Amino acid sequence: MPYEWQPDSGEARRLLIWRHRSLTPQGFAWVIGAAAVALVLPLVAVIGRAVMWGLLPFAAAALVGLWWAVQHGWRGGGPFEEVTLTRDRMGVTRHDPGRKPRHWQGNPYWVRLALHRDGPVEDYLTLSDGARMIELGAFLAPEERRALIAELEAALAGLRQATG
């Protein structure tokens, strides 16, 4: 799942939600390895000839370009959200590349979660404190939003019982 509860830091619980990344670190190693083999294989036919030295820089440049492009995508990371839960506050911070972080906060006792079947996307997940409604996990798949709402409701119920 592209979300994870962070270890407890005192009384606060923290949840990170990020977009799905289709290429794992192991997959990255396989892609680079396969590309290197695919680029070197044609050079085997011209080993020891002058043409090999003419083709080698282009093969190396293609491999470096692929490496850079994939790393650039990973570093950018895309959008992610941080949810912080304490006894008296629930905060959501959305981070989008190239924009300032957007913040929302409310009292966890009054926060309500809703999964809208008829929203702009399938299983549209929202948080509301009565005054303002925000979307959560816009970049998650519908089944991930369904799992996330169950976990968040359980965490909020635990907070409400602890304060009640």
Side-chain angles (χ1 to χ4, degrees), residues 95-112:
H95 301 271
D96 288 309
R99 294 181 69 179
K100 290 183 179 179
R102 293 177 283 169
H103 305 283
W104 175 90
Q105 66 181 12
N107 186 325
Y109 185 79
W110 296 108
V111 169
R112 297 294 175 248

Side-chain angles (χ1 to χ4, degrees), residues 29-43 59 63 66:
W30 277 102
V31 166
I32 295 297
V37 168
L39 290 168
V40 167
L41 204 55
L43 294 177
L63 191 60
L66 177 64

Side-chain angles (χ1 to χ4, degrees), residues 82-103:
E82 290 178 85
V83 179
T84 307
L85 290 171
T86 63
R87 288 182 145 194
D88 58 346
R89 188 179 75 82
M90 178 178 190
V92 177
T93 303
R94 175 154 173 125
H95 301 271
D96 288 309
R99 294 181 69 179
K100 290 183 179 179
R102 293 177 283 169
H103 305 283

Side-chain angles (χ1 to χ4, degrees), residues 7-154:
D8 287 343
S9 58
E11 67 178 58
R13 292 189 69 195
R14 189 167 161 242
L15 173 70
L16 286 178
I17 308 167
W18 60 89
R19 69 178 170 89
H20 180 73
R21 293 182 176 162
S22 59
L23 192 60
T24 64
Q26 296 83 9
F28 171 74
W30 277 102
V31 166
I32 295 297
V37 168
L39 290 168
V40 167
L41 204 55
L43 294 177
V44 171
V46 291
I47 287 179
R49 296 190 185 148
V51 73
M52 182 185 85
W53 297 108
L55 294 175
L56 192 59
F58 293 104
L63 191 60
V64 168
L66 177 64
W67 181 290
W68 178 85
V70 172
Q71 287 294 324
H72 180 71
W74 272 91
R75 270 193 306 273
F80 70 96
E81 296 169 338
E82 290 178 85
V83 179
T84 307
L85 290 171
T86 63
R87 288 182 145 194
D88 58 346
R89 188 179 75 82
M90 178 178 190
V92 177
T93 303
R94 175 154 173 125
H95 301 271
D96 288 309
R99 294 181 69 179
K100 290 183 179 179
R102 293 177 283 169
H103 305 283
W104 175 90
Q105 66 181 12
N107 186 325
Y109 185 79
W110 296 108
V111 169
R112 297 294 175 248
L113 299 162
L115 201 60
H116 304 275
R117 304 279 183 217
D118 59 345
V121 294
E122 185 181 344
D123 292 332
Y124 185 66
L125 177 58
T126 61
L127 285 169
S128 174
D129 63 354
R132 183 174 163 203
M133 182 184 295
I134 64 165
E135 179 181 16
L136 190 65
F139 38 78
L140 297 177
E143 60 274 359
E144 293 165 342
R145 285 192 288 271
R146 287 190 294 269
L148 178 61
I149 193 171
E151 288 187 33
L152 277 173
E153 283 177 339

